[in-house]
Amino acid sequence: MLCQIPGQAKKHPSLIPLFVFIGAGGTGAALYVMCLALFNPDVCGDKMNNPELWNKLGPNDQYKFYSPNGDYSKLKKEGPDF
């Protein structure tokens, strides 16, 4: 299937932007899922040593992927310690 892409691109040059955008979209989706798996506090890869990762987050840790208005360095902790 992937072997046919260069041949189709040579026969029909108008398909080249389609291949580029589909490749970029697939790569972006894979990178986003990898970012969620590695840096999201809801995902716990080591349940033996750190079963509740979200309890160890401080009030100034940024856990959102994108936060345009939030400045996490100035927040104070409001809840109790667990």
Side-chain angles (χ1 to χ4, degrees):
M1 181 76 180
L2 292 175
C3 303
Q4 296 176 352
I5 291 177
Q8 291 292 327
K10 288 179 185 175
K11 289 180 187 176
H12 306 286
S14 61
L15 291 177
I16 293 173
L18 177 70
F19 294 145
V20 169
F21 284 113
I22 288 181
T27 303
L31 289 174
Y32 180 68
V33 168
M34 188 173 63
C35 179
L36 287 178
L38 294 176
F39 301 115
N40 196 353
D42 294 336
V43 177
C44 184
D46 186 13
K47 290 191 175 196
M48 297 298 286
N49 296 326
N50 194 6
E52 295 178 345
L53 178 65
W54 52 90
N55 283 338
K56 294 186 180 180
L57 286 175
N60 56 357
D61 291 335
Q62 180 176 355
Y63 59 91
K64 291 185 177 182
F65 182 71
Y66 176 70
S67 179
N69 297 330
D71 186 14
Y72 290 97
S73 63
K74 296 178 183 176
L75 293 176
K76 305 237 187 298
K77 186 171 184 178
E78 297 176 3
D81 289 331
F82 291 106

